[in-house]
């Protein structure tokens, strides 16, 4: 675990050192849980967004995009339930004065039991080799059974307090924390306050006169911008059910515990798609979208074992199914995307609060109804973090040296090709520039002439650039260059005129999209 934490720290400093992510307002020592993306970060982030946008809007004839404003009429948030219920249960430790989410403390405790079970299984696997029968081991090993019992008991209690009548049972949550002996990781004590609800929306005022100003909110999710535009899009686009509306944009949450770098931020970006369907078909569509979205993730080639679904224990009262796609981060399996079957809750609420009829007239059956919705909601920043974590490697080389390399999927890499003149003489810089001038219309290229070639390679490895080209004496004679591959470090001689063909397909978003079909 400590080793994993070290790796995570290294990734955070790598992100800063190589222009991916900086703390916001860095010269003023940063702002809690707010980050800026640097020159390489913004490219990677834009590529992630493109991969998502194109997979939704280009690959589905019945999905269109919008870009709604961050500010919305305040009644939106009354209707959506956010004013009354967008709360997290928080608890303070009186000794360390640190604040925690009570639900997270309990979920971490559950994960501890799971970890203990997993460790026993790993140990036994090593011991028994091929003869190991996991099901039998789980059913008979005393330590596994003991931890499974503890897990089940806690899980049951947790579900009860989360689904208590009239909302979360806050006293019950505190009691669980006390009974489980959960301590504050900083002070090590159990000196906890009561659990309280805390609304996560940021407020501000619109309008300048004393009587005219009204409280508005920074949107805590992009989804509501889609719901309030359902009629506009359906009518102007003459959309027939089923159809989807996709959107990428900023969201803001005053998170209580904002740690783990860009995993939990107060200002972040979401990519959400609301898929409007006929009531009664939602569970089929839910299953389809689960599969489609998992495929989108696994298509990046990080290995299926690094993903899992986590079905929700606590369903919002309006949802009839919900799952998270979790990714194996250095700090455990964590949610990257949520997929929710939201019934007709949001559209009905907006109809009620706005007094407008928000329905769909079905030409096939001649009836009108409020569509149901399946939502897929993914955080750009969490996706960014998962990609960084998986791509980062400190590699031991055969010559005893180490190199830090980001094995980014080529289509997402900020820079696709670096071009180096071997020396600054004999027209090599001009030749290198010529290559860039030709290829820059097709993908992102970078020119580098400083330091020895070896050092330049290392710098490009560190930002995940998949290809480097070196212009040398021979180039001037026969128009060939050495093309070096980031992952294998192999070099081969290729004609300048072939470069585009060799590289373009591998680094384009299209190459990723094609694999989805
Ligand atoms: P969590 O339980 O981690 O707080 P959530 O279930 O509240 O997340 P959703 O409301 O389902 O999250 O939001 C959808 C997605 O938006 C999440 O899967 C995540 O990728 C992203 N997201 C949510 N909150 C944050 C945040 N504070 N910082 C970065 N990304 C976030």
């Amino acid at each position: 675990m400590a080793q994993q934490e070290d790796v995570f720290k290294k990734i955070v400093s790598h992100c800063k050192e190589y222009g991916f992510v900086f703390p916001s307002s860095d010269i003023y020592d940063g702002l809690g849980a707010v980050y800026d993306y640097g020159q390489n970060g913004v490219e990677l982030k834009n590529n992630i967004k493109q991969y998502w946008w194109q997979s939704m809007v280009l690959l589905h004839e019945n999905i269109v995009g919008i870009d709604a404003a961050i500010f919305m009429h305040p009644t939106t948030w009354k209707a959506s339930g956010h004013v009354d219920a967008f709360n997290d249960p928080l608890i303070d430790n009186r000794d360390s004065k640190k604040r925690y989410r009570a639900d997270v403390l309990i979920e971490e405790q559950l994960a501890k039991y799971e970890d203990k079970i997993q460790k026993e299984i790993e140990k036994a696997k090593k011991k028994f080799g091929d003869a190991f029968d996991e099901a039998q081991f789980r059913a008979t090993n005393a330590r596994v059974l003991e931890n499974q019992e503890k897990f089940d008991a806690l899980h049951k209690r947790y579900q009860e307090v989360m689904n208590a009548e009239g909302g979360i049972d806050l006293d019950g949550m505190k009691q669980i924390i006390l009974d489980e002996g959960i301590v504050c990781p900083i002070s090590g004590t159990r000196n906890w306050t009561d659990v309280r609800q805390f609304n996560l929306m940021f407020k501000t005022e619109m309008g300048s006169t004393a009587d005219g100003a009204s409280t508005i909110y920074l949107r805590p999710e992009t989804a509501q911008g889609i719901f309030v535009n359902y009629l506009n899009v359906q009518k102007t686009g003459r959309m027939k059910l089923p159809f989807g509306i996709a959107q990428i944009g900023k969201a803001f949450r005053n998170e209580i515990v904002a740690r783990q770098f860009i995993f939990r931020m107060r200002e972040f970006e979401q990519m959400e798609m609301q898929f409007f369907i006929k009531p009664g078909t939602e569970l089929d569509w839910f299953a389809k979208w689960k599969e489609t979205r998992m495929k989108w993730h696994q298509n990046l080639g990080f290995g299926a074992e690094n993903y899992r679904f986590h079905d929700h224990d606590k369903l919002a009262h309006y949802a009839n199914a919900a799952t998270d796609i979790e990714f194996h981060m250095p700090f455990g399996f964590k949610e990257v995307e949520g997929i929710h079957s939201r019934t007709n809750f949001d559209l009905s609420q907006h109809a009620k609060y706005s007094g407008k009829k928000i329905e769909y007239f079905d030409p096939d059956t001649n009836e009108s109804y409020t569509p149901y919705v399946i939502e897929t909601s993914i955080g750009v920043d969490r996706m960014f973090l998962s990609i960084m974590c998986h791509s980062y490697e400190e590699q031991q080389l055969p010559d005893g040296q180490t190199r830090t390399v980001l094995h980014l999927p080529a289509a997402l890499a900020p820079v696709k090709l670096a071009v180096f003149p071997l020396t600054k003489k004999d027209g090599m810089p001009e030749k290198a520039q010529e290559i860039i001038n030709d290829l820059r219309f097709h993908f992102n290229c970078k020119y580098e002439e400083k330091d020895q070639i070896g050092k330049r390679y290392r710098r490009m490895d560190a930002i995940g650039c998949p290809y480097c080209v070196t212009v040398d004496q021979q180039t001037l004679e026969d128009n060939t260059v050495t093309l070096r591959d980031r992952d294998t470090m192999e070099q081969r001689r290729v004609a300048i005129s072939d470069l585009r063909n060799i590289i373009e397909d591998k680094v384009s978003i299209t190459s990723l999209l094609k694999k989805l079909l």
Side-chain angles (χ1 to χ4, degrees), residues 3-4 6-18 20 302 330 384-395 402-409 461-464 486:
Q3 216 180 356
Q4 289 295 306
D6 277 356
V7 172
F8 189 58
K9 276 192 194 139
K10 282 183 183 166
I11 292 169
V12 176
S13 37
H14 190 86
C15 279
K16 182 164 184 195
E17 194 179 338
Y18 287 93
F20 283 92
F302 296 158
F384 185 108
L385 182 60
S386 66
I387 292 169
M388 271 291 177
C389 290
H390 194 272
S391 302
Y392 181 88
E393 189 193 10
E394 281 173 15
Q395 198 176 38
T402 50
R403 68 162 182 158
T404 303
V405 53
L406 284 184
H407 299 284
L408 295 173
D461 290 343
I463 65 163
R486 173 196 69 198

Side-chain angles (χ1 to χ4, degrees), residues 101 253 255 263-265 268 270 335-336 377 379 382:
R101 261 174 67 179
R253 295 183 188 178
E255 298 280 2
F263 181 79
R264 193 174 297 288
M265 302 156 90
F268 59 102
Q270 288 185 315
E335 170 182 345
V336 178
S377 173
R382 278 195 198 173

Side-chain angles (χ1 to χ4, degrees), residues 12-24 34-42 261-262 265 384 388:
V12 176
S13 37
H14 190 86
C15 279
K16 182 164 184 195
E17 194 179 338
Y18 287 93
F20 283 92
V21 183
F22 306 126
S24 153
V34 186
Y35 290 90
D36 297 341
Y37 285 84
Q39 66 280 15
N40 289 316
V42 69
F261 192 40
I262 55 173
M265 302 156 90
F384 185 108
M388 271 291 177

